Amino acid sequence: MIRMNLKVLVLLLCAAVLVTLSLWTRCGEVMLASKSRRISGQAADWDTGNKKVANGQDTHGAEAVDHGGSSDLQGYEEIDCHINGEYSIGCRKEGGEIYLPFSFLHKYFEVYGKLATYDGYERFEWSHSYSKVYYPKGKYDSRGVFMYFENYNVEVRDRVKCVSASEGVPVSTQWESQGYYYPTQIAQFGLSHYSKNLTEPEPRRTLLEDAERDLLAHWVVPNGASVSRILDSYTGSHVVQFSIPDSVTSGVSLKLDHVLDFVLSLNFRLAVNSSFTVVLQSREKRDQIFQLHYICSDLTISAQDQHVYHGIGRCGHTQPWRKLTRDLVVDLHKGLVYQNKPKRKLSRSKLKVIGLTFHGSGHLDNLTLSTSEHLSQFYDAAQWLVRHQDSSTGGWPNPVRRRVAPAMADLEPGWYSAMGQGHALSVLARAYHHSGGDNLYLNSALAGLRPFDVASSNGGVLASFLGRIPWYEEYPTQPASFVLNGFIYALLGLYDLSVVAPSASQQATQLFRQGMVSLKQLLLLYDTGSGTTYDLRHFTLGTAPNLARWDYHATHVNQLLLLATIDHDPLLTATAERWIGYMSGKRAAHN
Ligand SMILES: *[C@@H]1O[C@H](CO)[C@@H](O)[C@H](O)[C@H]1NC(C)=O
Ligand SMILES: *[C@@H]1O[C@H](CO)[C@@H](O)[C@H](O)[C@H]1NC(C)=O
Ligand SMILES: *[C@@H]1O[C@H](CO)[C@@H](O)[C@H](O)[C@H]1NC(C)=O
């Protein structure tokens, strides 16, 4: 989940806040008071008159001048606030009111605040939580946008090492720094691109070469090398064939001057040891040149100085045609991060593509630069899921050890997640729909249901609350953890499959219905009266509850609001509304 952290901002501001608040209050009073009262250079008397410090001196004497302020603005006294009989902090007393520093309130109550200015008018904005509620625009559509994932940008997250050029999907470093394929994240990558396809403006596409017309592009071909246009027997279309003997050091290249569109796509077949390089230039500093090398290798990513290397996997003339879709700016950014270069955001408007060079030999077609290629990236995720599913269990293994809580046994590499399975179903259901019914996706989705019927103690994702209420575990721990958001994501996946393939997936329908019953039975166990818990470890481990931080709480709310569009049980809406109230400080009534 995205973590929005305002703390840093808050800490910077809080020092200034108390002063600002008192100035603001005082100025307001001064203005109100000015018609009828003496206000200048006088000991103020405009409220309770309770203005004396302990030693009897007037607050507006020398002390106020020492602070360098106008005496009108200094109508307060320093006072100790003794907190729960345990420690003291500096507060201020003004009239009958006591003012506490916001930095203290921030830490004590975990509330957030910032100074904001509108047309020169400054005010302090207090918020109880930092997350956003997404109200569904209509009934949830399993063929449409997935939740609000059009706002997600999975590949730019810090915990994504890069997008693999051999698989076209993100490589995670969340739980293991060398990087691994995390099915949940890959599915989220697919769902975000699917959703962006439905919500973003049409991309601009520039076809650089498709070999159909006279060579569209002006290839620069060194002596001894060749570029030709041939009819490819496998695809039945014209393609470009190129060949550069070992003795020739430069490749065949295109000079470009292309701005704004940084998603490169092409079909290719390359011989062993071939590669291609995209050259990017900074539009501000023209001597700043970056080279993105796509090489025939299993390497994930490597980089040195201005050179970034992504492995596109094994090559060879016997390999089938492949399609590659690369976001060049993401690739460059990951290469800089790889070298611990400053992670400042690379702006698309400050770069341009100035060249493209192929080395070795091979064939290529449909060379294109676009604003985006969301559906290609979506299908990269869907196909990854099809290729990497365990055919005997139907699961997508998580290849890392995971400790959920110290008192729970570690999950050993290879565990399945109901959230990962469910997200995969959401991807595959959409791929099945969008592809016009390709059974490759449907069969994979149907197999993906199997772990839902296998106990979490036995390699599946099914747990049981008190031996009676079935639950699909995001983390199949012993004892069970009952993570709420992962369970609801699993429900959405089951629902998606049951909607796009109703007759084939009666099992999905049945698992969804069973899960909705469980959800309604257990939902209120997560309600603390002022927020929610992330899981039920307080029940299964007998420890303190694991409170959901606000972004997870907001996820709970957003999920309930979405479910409420497909299931009209008032429990869902009523609970969502109460939980929304918690985000602005409302609490359940006490006795
Ligand atoms: C979405 O996909 C369709 C093809 O299904 C394509 O025509 C359209 O340009 C894409 N739009 C975006 C914003 O990616
Ligand atoms: C590929 O490159 C490696 C390392 O440079 C070399 O040993 C190998 O002979 C090359 N293979 C071909 C087919 O050129
Ligand atoms: C290039 O794109 C066209 C149109 O989509 C397609 O028919 C052709 O097969 C593609 N070329 C290759 C080599 O895949």
Side-chain angles (χ1 to χ4, degrees):
M1 299 291 110
I2 303 164
R3 181 167 194 176
M4 292 171 55
N5 197 338
L6 292 172
K7 279 185 189 170
V8 175
L9 179 62
V10 164
L11 290 174
L12 286 173
L13 292 172
C14 59
V17 166
L18 173 70
V19 174
T20 308
L21 280 180
S22 34
L23 289 181
W24 179 33
T25 319
R26 178 54 66 207
C27 291
E29 288 175 3
V30 168
M31 282 187 293
L32 286 176
S34 61
K35 286 189 184 127
S36 56
R37 287 184 176 161
R38 303 160 294 138
I39 55 167
S40 181
Q42 307 279 342
D45 62 350
W46 46 63
D47 35 354
T48 66
N50 186 10
K51 289 282 169 198
K52 299 287 174 184
V53 289
N55 65 8
Q57 278 191 335
D58 193 300
T59 334
H60 290 265
E63 195 190 329
V65 175
D66 285 346
H67 282 97
S70 147
S71 59
D72 287 327
L73 303 176
Q74 292 289 342
Y76 64 81
E77 296 165 46
E78 305 286 345
I79 190 173
D80 276 353
C81 283
H82 202 46
I83 309 297
N84 297 321
E86 288 168 1
Y87 60 97
S88 292
I89 59 163
C91 293
R92 290 177 179 184
K93 179 170 161 230
E94 183 182 305
E97 190 61 280
I98 300 296
Y99 294 85
L100 286 83
F102 185 73
S103 55
F104 170 77
L105 301 179
H106 164 63
K107 273 198 226 129
Y108 193 95
F109 292 111
E110 283 192 59
V111 289
Y112 305 87
K114 63 176 193 300
L115 281 172
T117 308
Y118 303 96
D119 297 330
Y121 158 70
E122 194 176 38
R123 71 177 181 195
F124 184 69
E125 294 178 342
W126 162 295
S127 39
H128 192 79
S129 69
Y130 53 76
S131 280
K132 186 165 153 54
V133 173
Y134 291 94
Y135 292 91
K137 294 184 191 87
K139 186 179 176 200
Y140 173 63
D141 176 4
S142 296
R143 299 171 184 88
V145 168
F146 184 80
M147 288 197 64
Y148 41 85
F149 277 34
E150 73 274 22
N151 302 307
Y152 277 21
N153 222 335
V154 174
E155 50 271 48
V156 306
R157 293 176 185 169
D158 288 345
R159 56 183 186 266
V160 171
K161 186 174 190 176
C162 63
V163 176
S164 152
S166 57
E167 302 282 353
V169 298
V171 175
S172 179
T173 49
Q174 190 166 357
W175 298 316
E176 205 173 87
S177 58
Q178 78 197 52
Y180 62 97
Y181 291 109
Y182 180 29
T184 301
Q185 185 178 70
I186 290 167
Q188 291 195 344
F189 169 83
L191 291 168
S192 78
H193 282 292
Y194 185 89
S195 304
K196 284 176 195 289
N197 169 266
L198 296 172
T199 51
E200 284 189 357
E202 285 296 299
R204 211 175 19 239
R205 288 194 175 93
T206 306
L207 179 63
L208 302 175
E209 176 67 272
D210 74 349
E212 292 304 328
R213 280 140 274 179
D214 291 339
L215 281 183
L216 204 62
H218 295 286
W219 292 96
V220 178
V221 185
N223 272 340
S226 69
V227 172
S228 54
R229 175 178 174 251
I230 61 159
L231 186 64
D232 178 65
S233 55
Y234 182 75
T235 57
S237 60
H238 287 98
V239 302
V240 171
Q241 181 176 44
F242 69 93
S243 174
I244 299 133
D246 286 345
S247 54
V248 177
T249 48
S250 49
V252 297
S253 55
L254 288 180
K255 281 200 186 346
L256 300 168
D257 185 13
H258 200 93
V259 294
L260 297 176
D261 307 320
F262 289 101
V263 179
L264 175 79
S265 57
L266 73 160
N267 299 100
F268 70 92
R269 283 170 64 195
L270 294 178
V272 179
N273 289 356
S274 301
S275 68
F276 66 94
T277 298
V278 182
V279 187
L280 298 177
Q281 182 186 49
S282 160
R283 293 170 75 182
E284 286 173 342
K285 294 189 207 145
R286 290 164 152 263
D287 57 339
Q288 206 171 43
I289 305 274
F290 302 99
Q291 302 206 27
L292 303 178
H293 305 283
Y294 298 92
I295 61 176
C296 293
S297 152
D298 289 332
L299 169 89
T300 309
I301 185 173
S302 163
Q304 173 138 43
D305 303 327
Q306 314 292 298
H307 297 270
V308 179
Y309 301 85
H310 284 86
I312 56 177
R314 298 275 163 82
C315 301
H317 271 304
T318 54
Q319 303 257 351
W321 279 94
R322 281 178 51 197
K323 179 167 184 182
L324 192 76
T325 308
R326 303 305 300 173
D327 186 320
L328 302 172
V329 177
V330 170
D331 285 352
L332 172 58
H333 175 72
K334 297 298 180 185
L336 297 180
V337 171
Y338 180 88
Q339 304 177 75
N340 294 318
K341 292 270 165 69
K343 297 187 195 175
R344 82 189 161 78
K345 202 166 174 285
L346 286 164
S347 160
R348 280 167 202 264
S349 61
K350 294 195 177 124
L351 288 167
K352 66 175 167 180
V353 185
I354 59 167
L356 190 60
T357 304
F358 286 80
H359 296 277
S361 62
H363 299 90
L364 66 103
D365 197 7
N366 299 327
L367 192 58
T368 308
L369 278 170
S370 331
T371 332
S372 63
E373 290 290 348
H374 293 309
L375 279 180
S376 297
Q377 296 194 285
F378 164 71
Y379 277 111
D380 281 344
Q383 284 161 12
W384 187 91
L385 291 167
V386 171
R387 280 198 305 275
H388 295 273
Q389 184 173 31
D390 183 317
S391 57
S392 61
T393 60
W396 286 278
N398 291 280
V400 288
R401 177 168 289 109
R402 172 95 170 99
R403 170 163 296 184
V404 175
M408 290 171 181
D410 285 1
L411 298 174
E412 294 301 322
W415 53 277
Y416 299 146
S417 163
M419 175 163 166
Q421 297 293 122
H423 267 354
L425 299 184
S426 293
V427 171
L428 294 167
R430 283 169 174 77
Y432 176 65
H433 157 72
H434 186 271
S435 63
D438 188 336
N439 281 325
L440 187 70
Y441 303 116
L442 179 61
N443 291 336
S444 174
L446 292 173
L449 295 173
R450 274 185 245 147
F452 286 90
D453 277 331
V454 178
S456 51
S457 55
N458 207 14
V461 300
L462 181 64
S464 171
F465 187 83
L466 293 177
R468 284 187 30 238
I469 301 175
W471 192 267
Y472 314 131
E473 289 268 82
E474 175 175 350
Y475 302 114
T477 51
Q478 303 302 321
S481 39
F482 300 105
V483 173
L484 179 58
N485 81 90
F487 176 76
I488 300 179
Y489 280 130
L491 292 182
L492 288 176
L494 294 167
Y495 176 78
D496 289 340
L497 182 57
S498 72
V499 167
V500 303
S503 51
S505 62
Q506 281 149 14
Q507 191 196 355
T509 311
Q510 188 271 326
L511 285 166
F512 172 71
R513 289 200 184 128
Q514 163 181 284
M516 284 304 292
V517 173
S518 300
L519 178 68
K520 291 171 194 175
Q521 286 177 309
L522 296 191
L523 186 61
L524 293 193
L525 296 186
Y526 295 85
D527 190 328
T528 67
S530 59
T532 47
T533 66
Y534 176 82
D535 54 30
L536 295 183
R537 71 178 60 178
H538 48 301
F539 180 75
T540 57
L541 290 179
T543 58
N546 183 24
L547 298 180
R549 57 176 205 246
W550 285 119
D551 48 4
Y552 277 109
H553 178 78
T555 299
H556 295 157
V557 167
N558 295 326
Q559 291 179 321
L560 290 186
L561 291 173
L562 196 77
L563 284 180
T565 70
I566 54 179
D567 179 324
H568 300 301
D569 189 323
L571 177 71
L572 299 178
T573 341
T575 305
E577 274 165 17
R578 190 169 59 254
W579 291 3
I580 289 168
Y582 297 163
M583 295 173 74
S584 49
K586 294 196 182 66
R587 290 165 162 258
H590 57 68
N591 64 5

mmCIF file of all heavy atoms in Angstrom, residues 246 271-274 296, ligand 2:
data_model
loop_
_atom_site.group_PDB
_atom_site.id
_atom_site.type_symbol
_atom_site.label_atom_id
_atom_site.label_comp_id
_atom_site.label_asym_id
_atom_site.label_seq_id
_atom_site.Cartn_x
_atom_site.Cartn_y
_atom_site.Cartn_z
ATOM 1 N N ASP A 246 30.958 -9.617 -36.756
ATOM 2 C CA ASP A 246 31.758 -9.317 -35.562
ATOM 3 C C ASP A 246 32.822 -8.260 -35.848
ATOM 4 O O ASP A 246 33.196 -7.498 -34.965
ATOM 5 C CB ASP A 246 32.454 -10.595 -35.070
ATOM 6 C CG ASP A 246 31.450 -11.525 -34.409
ATOM 7 O OD1 ASP A 246 30.331 -11.046 -34.104
ATOM 8 O OD2 ASP A 246 31.768 -12.712 -34.214
ATOM 9 N N ALA A 271 19.664 -12.942 -32.581
ATOM 10 C CA ALA A 271 20.632 -14.036 -32.468
ATOM 11 C C ALA A 271 21.370 -13.924 -31.136
ATOM 12 O O ALA A 271 21.377 -12.850 -30.505
ATOM 13 C CB ALA A 271 21.616 -13.956 -33.627
ATOM 14 N N VAL A 272 21.981 -15.023 -30.725
ATOM 15 C CA VAL A 272 22.765 -15.041 -29.484
ATOM 16 C C VAL A 272 23.696 -13.832 -29.439
ATOM 17 O O VAL A 272 24.277 -13.445 -30.452
ATOM 18 C CB VAL A 272 23.611 -16.343 -29.436
ATOM 19 C CG1 VAL A 272 24.456 -16.389 -28.170
ATOM 20 C CG2 VAL A 272 22.699 -17.550 -29.509
ATOM 21 N N ASN A 273 23.807 -13.235 -28.270
ATOM 22 C CA ASN A 273 24.730 -12.119 -28.024
ATOM 23 C C ASN A 273 24.350 -10.815 -28.742
ATOM 24 O O ASN A 273 25.146 -9.892 -28.770
ATOM 25 C CB ASN A 273 26.177 -12.472 -28.409
ATOM 26 C CG ASN A 273 26.783 -13.468 -27.444
ATOM 27 O OD1 ASN A 273 26.152 -13.839 -26.460
ATOM 28 N ND2 ASN A 273 27.990 -13.910 -27.725
ATOM 29 N N SER A 274 23.185 -10.737 -29.304
ATOM 30 C CA SER A 274 22.780 -9.466 -29.911
ATOM 31 C C SER A 274 22.236 -8.542 -28.823
ATOM 32 O O SER A 274 22.008 -8.964 -27.689
ATOM 33 C CB SER A 274 21.696 -9.704 -30.966
ATOM 34 O OG SER A 274 22.185 -10.565 -31.966
ATOM 35 N N CYS A 296 20.935 -9.674 -24.619
ATOM 36 C CA CYS A 296 20.522 -11.081 -24.533
ATOM 37 C C CYS A 296 21.224 -11.717 -23.346
ATOM 38 O O CYS A 296 22.382 -12.135 -23.444
ATOM 39 C CB CYS A 296 20.908 -11.821 -25.815
ATOM 40 S SG CYS A 296 19.989 -11.252 -27.244
HETATM 41 C C1 LIG B 2 28.608 -14.840 -27.047
HETATM 42 O O1 LIG B 2 29.459 -14.099 -26.175
HETATM 43 C C2 LIG B 2 30.265 -14.913 -25.362
HETATM 44 C C3 LIG B 2 31.012 -14.015 -24.400
HETATM 45 O O2 LIG B 2 31.514 -12.888 -25.049
HETATM 46 C C4 LIG B 2 31.199 -15.748 -26.241
HETATM 47 O O3 LIG B 2 31.994 -16.593 -25.443
HETATM 48 C C5 LIG B 2 30.351 -16.583 -27.188
HETATM 49 O O4 LIG B 2 31.199 -17.295 -28.101
HETATM 50 C C6 LIG B 2 29.410 -15.718 -27.993
HETATM 51 N N1 LIG B 2 28.515 -16.572 -28.766
HETATM 52 C C7 LIG B 2 28.267 -16.384 -30.062
HETATM 53 C C8 LIG B 2 27.354 -17.375 -30.720
HETATM 54 O O5 LIG B 2 28.766 -15.461 -30.680
#
